[in-house]
Amino acid sequence: MTTQGTGLDTATLTTADLMSLPPTVDVETGGKAFGLGRTTSYRLAREERFPCKVVRAGGGWRVVTADLRRVLALTEAEEAPAC
């Protein structure tokens, strides 16, 4: 299974996957980063209880990737390979 528009396998998201995400992602992908399923992710978004910032866009929900990384405590330094 791939995430719509990103080409990522949503069964697992590595740190590298998370660092390469576009500025916003669908709620399902955002939920996968937290170990949440599709139904739970959308329910939390509707209830304004999703673990990071979610915005309404074009009649849908989008997870703000920068906030997702912040909540997961991921930094640019983690993206760089070790020497």
mmCIF file of all heavy atoms in Angstrom, residues 1 3 5 8-10 15-17 23 25 30 39 42 45 49 53-54 56 58 63 66 68 76-78 82:
data_model
loop_
_atom_site.group_PDB
_atom_site.id
_atom_site.type_symbol
_atom_site.label_atom_id
_atom_site.label_comp_id
_atom_site.label_asym_id
_atom_site.label_seq_id
_atom_site.Cartn_x
_atom_site.Cartn_y
_atom_site.Cartn_z
ATOM 1 N N MET A 1 0.842 -1.178 0.000
ATOM 2 C CA MET A 1 0.000 0.000 0.000
ATOM 3 C C MET A 1 0.884 1.237 0.000
ATOM 4 O O MET A 1 1.822 1.336 0.763
ATOM 5 C CB MET A 1 -0.873 -0.041 1.248
ATOM 6 C CG MET A 1 -1.643 1.201 1.483
ATOM 7 S SD MET A 1 -2.387 1.151 3.109
ATOM 8 C CE MET A 1 -3.991 1.713 2.714
ATOM 9 N N THR A 3 1.076 5.627 -0.004
ATOM 10 C CA THR A 3 0.354 6.835 0.350
ATOM 11 C C THR A 3 0.084 7.640 -0.909
ATOM 12 O O THR A 3 0.968 7.838 -1.721
ATOM 13 C CB THR A 3 1.194 7.666 1.324
ATOM 14 O OG1 THR A 3 1.458 6.860 2.465
ATOM 15 C CG2 THR A 3 0.474 8.917 1.744
ATOM 16 N N GLY A 5 0.031 10.109 -3.543
ATOM 17 C CA GLY A 5 0.824 11.275 -3.880
ATOM 18 C C GLY A 5 2.254 11.262 -3.371
ATOM 19 O O GLY A 5 3.067 12.036 -3.808
ATOM 20 N N LEU A 8 5.042 6.438 -0.730
ATOM 21 C CA LEU A 8 5.612 5.764 0.424
ATOM 22 C C LEU A 8 4.773 4.557 0.820
ATOM 23 O O LEU A 8 3.557 4.569 0.736
ATOM 24 C CB LEU A 8 5.667 6.708 1.631
ATOM 25 C CG LEU A 8 6.592 7.897 1.524
ATOM 26 C CD1 LEU A 8 6.429 8.779 2.756
ATOM 27 C CD2 LEU A 8 8.019 7.450 1.389
ATOM 28 N N ASP A 9 5.453 3.521 1.280
ATOM 29 C CA ASP A 9 4.782 2.363 1.855
ATOM 30 C C ASP A 9 4.294 2.806 3.226
ATOM 31 O O ASP A 9 5.098 3.192 4.079
ATOM 32 C CB ASP A 9 5.765 1.207 1.971
ATOM 33 C CG ASP A 9 5.172 -0.015 2.640
ATOM 34 O OD1 ASP A 9 3.994 0.021 3.020
ATOM 35 O OD2 ASP A 9 5.910 -1.004 2.763
ATOM 36 N N THR A 10 2.989 2.760 3.473
ATOM 37 C CA THR A 10 2.468 3.266 4.734
ATOM 38 C C THR A 10 2.446 2.213 5.830
ATOM 39 O O THR A 10 2.046 2.514 6.943
ATOM 40 C CB THR A 10 1.050 3.849 4.560
ATOM 41 O OG1 THR A 10 0.210 2.832 4.030
ATOM 42 C CG2 THR A 10 1.061 5.069 3.687
ATOM 43 N N THR A 15 12.517 7.040 9.809
ATOM 44 C CA THR A 15 12.898 8.438 10.030
ATOM 45 C C THR A 15 13.172 9.119 8.697
ATOM 46 O O THR A 15 12.754 10.254 8.472
ATOM 47 C CB THR A 15 14.130 8.527 10.949
ATOM 48 O OG1 THR A 15 13.800 7.918 12.200
ATOM 49 C CG2 THR A 15 14.540 9.969 11.193
ATOM 50 N N ALA A 16 13.850 8.405 7.792
ATOM 51 C CA ALA A 16 14.136 8.975 6.470
ATOM 52 C C ALA A 16 12.846 9.281 5.717
ATOM 53 O O ALA A 16 12.733 10.312 5.057
ATOM 54 C CB ALA A 16 15.013 8.026 5.660
ATOM 55 N N ASP A 17 11.857 8.373 5.808
ATOM 56 C CA ASP A 17 10.559 8.618 5.175
ATOM 57 C C ASP A 17 9.925 9.883 5.737
ATOM 58 O O ASP A 17 9.425 10.732 4.995
ATOM 59 C CB ASP A 17 9.597 7.444 5.399
ATOM 60 C CG ASP A 17 9.981 6.184 4.672
ATOM 61 O OD1 ASP A 17 10.696 6.267 3.649
ATOM 62 O OD2 ASP A 17 9.556 5.101 5.129
ATOM 63 N N PRO A 23 5.249 19.188 2.570
ATOM 64 C CA PRO A 23 4.807 20.074 3.655
ATOM 65 C C PRO A 23 3.549 19.603 4.392
ATOM 66 O O PRO A 23 3.413 19.852 5.589
ATOM 67 C CB PRO A 23 4.564 21.413 2.962
ATOM 68 C CG PRO A 23 5.465 21.374 1.775
ATOM 69 C CD PRO A 23 5.469 19.939 1.325
ATOM 70 N N VAL A 25 0.620 16.138 4.581
ATOM 71 C CA VAL A 25 0.289 14.776 4.150
ATOM 72 C C VAL A 25 -1.150 14.471 4.544
ATOM 73 O O VAL A 25 -1.751 15.173 5.359
ATOM 74 C CB VAL A 25 1.237 13.723 4.765
ATOM 75 C CG1 VAL A 25 2.663 13.894 4.264
ATOM 76 C CG2 VAL A 25 1.199 13.743 6.282
ATOM 77 N N GLY A 30 -0.197 10.626 8.282
ATOM 78 C CA GLY A 30 0.134 11.224 9.574
ATOM 79 C C GLY A 30 -0.147 10.271 10.721
ATOM 80 O O GLY A 30 0.653 10.142 11.643
ATOM 81 N N THR A 39 -9.135 4.799 10.537
ATOM 82 C CA THR A 39 -10.372 5.215 11.199
ATOM 83 C C THR A 39 -10.085 6.059 12.427
ATOM 84 O O THR A 39 -10.684 7.124 12.623
ATOM 85 C CB THR A 39 -11.213 3.985 11.576
ATOM 86 O OG1 THR A 39 -11.475 3.233 10.384
ATOM 87 C CG2 THR A 39 -12.522 4.372 12.228
ATOM 88 N N TYR A 42 -8.744 9.641 11.428
ATOM 89 C CA TYR A 42 -9.786 10.577 10.994
ATOM 90 C C TYR A 42 -10.698 10.982 12.144
ATOM 91 O O TYR A 42 -11.117 12.135 12.241
ATOM 92 C CB TYR A 42 -10.592 10.006 9.824
ATOM 93 C CG TYR A 42 -9.878 10.202 8.510
ATOM 94 C CD1 TYR A 42 -9.147 9.173 7.928
ATOM 95 C CD2 TYR A 42 -9.912 11.427 7.854
ATOM 96 C CE1 TYR A 42 -8.473 9.358 6.727
ATOM 97 C CE2 TYR A 42 -9.245 11.630 6.656
ATOM 98 C CZ TYR A 42 -8.530 10.586 6.100
ATOM 99 O OH TYR A 42 -7.866 10.788 4.917
ATOM 100 N N ALA A 45 -8.863 13.570 14.139
ATOM 101 C CA ALA A 45 -8.826 14.832 13.390
ATOM 102 C C ALA A 45 -10.162 15.560 13.519
ATOM 103 O O ALA A 45 -10.194 16.776 13.788
ATOM 104 C CB ALA A 45 -8.481 14.582 11.927
ATOM 105 N N ARG A 49 -8.364 16.182 18.200
ATOM 106 C CA ARG A 49 -7.527 15.520 19.199
ATOM 107 C C ARG A 49 -6.339 14.800 18.552
ATOM 108 O O ARG A 49 -5.652 14.026 19.218
ATOM 109 C CB ARG A 49 -8.374 14.517 19.987
ATOM 110 C CG ARG A 49 -9.448 15.174 20.822
ATOM 111 C CD ARG A 49 -10.320 14.182 21.586
ATOM 112 N NE ARG A 49 -9.552 13.085 22.142
ATOM 113 C CZ ARG A 49 -9.940 11.805 22.114
ATOM 114 N NH1 ARG A 49 -11.087 11.474 21.561
ATOM 115 N NH2 ARG A 49 -9.191 10.864 22.643
ATOM 116 N N LYS A 53 -0.727 19.178 14.477
ATOM 117 C CA LYS A 53 -1.601 20.110 13.772
ATOM 118 C C LYS A 53 -2.188 19.501 12.499
ATOM 119 O O LYS A 53 -1.476 18.972 11.654
ATOM 120 C CB LYS A 53 -0.839 21.384 13.422
ATOM 121 C CG LYS A 53 -1.715 22.446 12.825
ATOM 122 C CD LYS A 53 -0.988 23.749 12.681
ATOM 123 C CE LYS A 53 -1.958 24.779 12.127
ATOM 124 N NZ LYS A 53 -1.443 26.106 12.252
ATOM 125 N N VAL A 54 -3.517 19.598 12.380
ATOM 126 C CA VAL A 54 -4.261 19.149 11.203
ATOM 127 C C VAL A 54 -5.094 20.326 10.720
ATOM 128 O O VAL A 54 -5.713 21.026 11.523
ATOM 129 C CB VAL A 54 -5.184 17.957 11.554
ATOM 130 C CG1 VAL A 54 -5.984 17.502 10.359
ATOM 131 C CG2 VAL A 54 -4.379 16.798 12.125
ATOM 132 N N ARG A 56 -7.955 21.887 7.685
ATOM 133 C CA ARG A 56 -8.939 21.582 6.641
ATOM 134 C C ARG A 56 -8.463 22.241 5.365
ATOM 135 O O ARG A 56 -8.095 23.408 5.358
ATOM 136 C CB ARG A 56 -10.318 22.137 7.000
ATOM 137 C CG ARG A 56 -11.018 21.486 8.168
ATOM 138 C CD ARG A 56 -11.560 20.146 7.857
ATOM 139 N NE ARG A 56 -12.595 20.213 6.833
ATOM 140 C CZ ARG A 56 -13.469 19.276 6.613
ATOM 141 N NH1 ARG A 56 -13.476 18.187 7.335
ATOM 142 N NH2 ARG A 56 -14.352 19.384 5.653
ATOM 143 N N GLY A 58 -9.569 22.161 1.140
ATOM 144 C CA GLY A 58 -10.332 21.637 0.012
ATOM 145 C C GLY A 58 -11.337 20.570 0.381
ATOM 146 O O GLY A 58 -11.515 19.613 -0.356
ATOM 147 N N VAL A 63 -2.342 16.891 7.392
ATOM 148 C CA VAL A 63 -1.466 16.953 8.562
ATOM 149 C C VAL A 63 -0.257 17.804 8.193
ATOM 150 O O VAL A 63 0.365 17.603 7.149
ATOM 151 C CB VAL A 63 -1.015 15.533 8.976
ATOM 152 C CG1 VAL A 63 0.029 15.594 10.082
ATOM 153 C CG2 VAL A 63 -2.218 14.704 9.409
ATOM 154 N N ALA A 66 5.705 19.634 9.361
ATOM 155 C CA ALA A 66 6.653 20.259 10.300
ATOM 156 C C ALA A 66 6.213 20.007 11.741
ATOM 157 O O ALA A 66 7.045 19.721 12.611
ATOM 158 C CB ALA A 66 6.777 21.751 10.026
ATOM 159 N N LEU A 68 4.266 17.506 12.745
ATOM 160 C CA LEU A 68 4.401 16.065 12.955
ATOM 161 C C LEU A 68 5.830 15.740 13.389
ATOM 162 O O LEU A 68 6.053 15.024 14.361
ATOM 163 C CB LEU A 68 4.044 15.318 11.662
ATOM 164 C CG LEU A 68 4.206 13.816 11.718
ATOM 165 C CD1 LEU A 68 2.868 13.147 11.443
ATOM 166 C CD2 LEU A 68 5.199 13.370 10.665
ATOM 167 N N GLU A 76 16.540 17.909 11.708
ATOM 168 C CA GLU A 76 17.330 17.789 10.477
ATOM 169 C C GLU A 76 18.608 16.999 10.730
ATOM 170 O O GLU A 76 19.087 16.302 9.856
ATOM 171 C CB GLU A 76 17.659 19.168 9.907
ATOM 172 C CG GLU A 76 16.443 19.938 9.439
ATOM 173 C CD GLU A 76 15.764 19.319 8.234
ATOM 174 O OE1 GLU A 76 16.445 18.740 7.384
ATOM 175 O OE2 GLU A 76 14.531 19.396 8.163
ATOM 176 N N ALA A 77 19.189 17.098 11.909
ATOM 177 C CA ALA A 77 20.434 16.401 12.239
ATOM 178 C C ALA A 77 20.255 14.884 12.126
ATOM 179 O O ALA A 77 21.172 14.166 11.778
ATOM 180 C CB ALA A 77 20.912 16.772 13.622
ATOM 181 N N GLU A 78 19.052 14.392 12.420
ATOM 182 C CA GLU A 78 18.790 12.959 12.335
ATOM 183 C C GLU A 78 18.775 12.473 10.911
ATOM 184 O O GLU A 78 18.939 11.288 10.648
ATOM 185 C CB GLU A 78 17.473 12.626 13.039
ATOM 186 C CG GLU A 78 17.534 12.835 14.528
ATOM 187 C CD GLU A 78 16.241 12.477 15.207
ATOM 188 O OE1 GLU A 78 15.647 11.446 14.828
ATOM 189 O OE2 GLU A 78 15.847 13.206 16.099
ATOM 190 N N ALA A 82 25.685 9.421 9.445
ATOM 191 C CA ALA A 82 26.858 9.502 10.335
ATOM 192 C C ALA A 82 28.136 9.302 9.535
ATOM 193 O O ALA A 82 28.176 8.538 8.584
ATOM 194 C CB ALA A 82 26.742 8.448 11.429
#
